[in-house]
Amino acid sequence: MTQIALLKKAEIPTNKQIQEAIQNMGYDFKIFENLEKKIDQNGLNCNINGQQTYFETYLVNADEVDESWIKTDLTNEDSAILFVWGADFAAAVCIGLISVVLIDQSKALIYYMDDQMRYTKEMLIADTSQILEELKKQDNSSKTDKEIANSNSANFQIKQNFWNRLKGVFK
């Protein structure tokens, strides 16, 4: 999946500014990269609500974006940040929240390439809330699976101990 932020390169906030803005919105969010640098070609390692994730980032000139449906919106944006990720709810939430900050601090234009749509801040916040719910479900399901596995392991041990003791009675 790919999302693009079109903006002026000089207005890209630092990782620290992004992290603080997202935390000020009330999210448990952390960037693990050098907080003094800005988004570049190296991708980002982030954490949202205890879920660590990574996604690719690319910084290119805005004129390198070949999508005609986007070019009509360009005015004075000179750069594009591309966010690329797979089927990872945590990455989607982080990218959505970073995009909200880019809109607020840099007047970025945000596009989700897979559906050829432009996102507003309100749309991003609504989608982020929905994806966070899915992330919670996924996390709860994962915890339940681990609990079942641990329970099954404990039950197996109890059965083994019982049968071993029973065998000892009949020796």
Side-chain angles (χ1 to χ4, degrees):
M1 292 178 256
T2 305
Q3 190 159 299
I4 294 179
L6 293 164
L7 65 168
K8 288 184 179 180
K9 187 174 185 175
E11 294 178 2
I12 298 173
T14 65
N15 289 343
K16 182 178 181 178
Q17 291 170 319
I18 291 170
Q19 177 176 287
E20 288 174 352
I22 293 172
Q23 289 172 347
N24 288 337
M25 287 188 276
Y27 293 96
D28 178 13
F29 176 81
K30 182 172 175 76
I31 295 176
F32 294 109
E33 314 300 310
N34 175 351
L35 293 179
E36 299 309 316
K37 78 174 197 170
K38 297 181 178 189
I39 295 173
D40 59 16
Q41 311 293 75
N42 294 325
L44 280 176
N45 283 300
C46 299
N47 187 306
I48 184 73
N49 295 343
Q51 295 286 325
Q52 189 164 344
T53 190
Y54 171 83
F55 48 89
E56 297 173 36
T57 58
Y58 302 92
L59 182 62
V60 299
N61 291 328
D63 59 6
E64 293 179 48
V65 177
D66 290 334
E67 305 296 329
S68 59
W69 59 276
I70 292 176
K71 286 190 182 240
T72 58
D73 292 345
L74 291 178
T75 54
N76 58 356
E77 297 79 14
D78 61 7
S79 297
I81 300 172
L82 285 74
F83 300 96
V84 181
W85 74 102
D88 178 356
F89 290 133
V93 169
C94 292
I95 292 166
L97 292 171
I98 291 169
S99 296
V100 168
V101 173
L102 293 176
I103 289 171
D104 284 346
Q105 295 188 7
S106 308
K107 298 174 189 64
L109 306 174
I110 307 295
Y111 299 90
Y112 182 61
M113 303 306 288
D114 297 29
D115 292 337
Q116 292 191 355
M117 64 183 288
R118 181 173 172 185
Y119 266 107
T120 64
K121 177 180 174 179
E122 294 75 22
M123 292 166 70
L124 286 164
I125 291 171
D127 278 2
T128 297
S129 295
Q130 289 175 348
I131 298 168
L132 271 172
E133 286 301 314
E134 292 300 319
L135 183 61
K136 283 181 192 174
K137 289 178 191 174
Q138 182 183 34
D139 190 38
N140 289 339
S141 173
S142 176
K143 286 179 184 174
T144 301
D145 290 347
K146 287 178 186 174
E147 289 168 1
I148 290 170
N150 288 340
S151 174
N152 288 343
S153 176
N155 288 339
F156 178 76
Q157 291 297 327
I158 290 168
K159 287 178 184 175
Q160 288 295 94
N161 290 338
F162 171 76
W163 286 112
N164 288 336
R165 284 193 311 253
L166 190 60
K167 287 178 190 175
V169 169
F170 292 106
K171 282 187 178 180

